[in-house]
Coordinates of all heavy atoms in Angstrom, one line a residue:
P903 N 7.6 24.8 -8.1 CA 9.0 25.0 -8.5 C 9.9 23.9 -8.0 O 11.1 23.8 -8.4 CB 9.4 26.3 -7.9 CG 8.4 26.5 -6.7 CD 7.2 25.9 -7.2
A926 N 3.1 26.0 -2.2 CA 2.7 24.7 -1.7 C 2.0 24.0 -2.9 O 1.3 24.7 -3.7 CB 1.7 24.8 -0.6
G1257 N 21.7 4.5 -20.3 CA 22.8 4.2 -19.4 C 22.3 3.4 -18.2 O 21.2 3.4 -17.8
I1258 N 23.3 2.7 -17.5 CA 23.1 1.9 -16.4 C 24.0 2.3 -15.3 O 25.2 2.5 -15.5 CB 23.3 0.4 -16.7 CG1 22.5 0.0 -17.9 CG2 22.9 -0.5 -15.4 CD1 21.1 -0.1 -17.7
L1327 N 24.6 -12.2 -19.9 CA 24.9 -13.6 -20.2 C 23.6 -14.4 -20.1 O 23.1 -14.7 -19.0 CB 25.9 -14.3 -19.3 CG 27.3 -13.6 -19.4 CD1 28.2 -14.2 -18.3 CD2 28.0 -13.9 -20.8

Side-chain angles (χ1 to χ4, degrees):
I1258 308 288
L1327 298 171

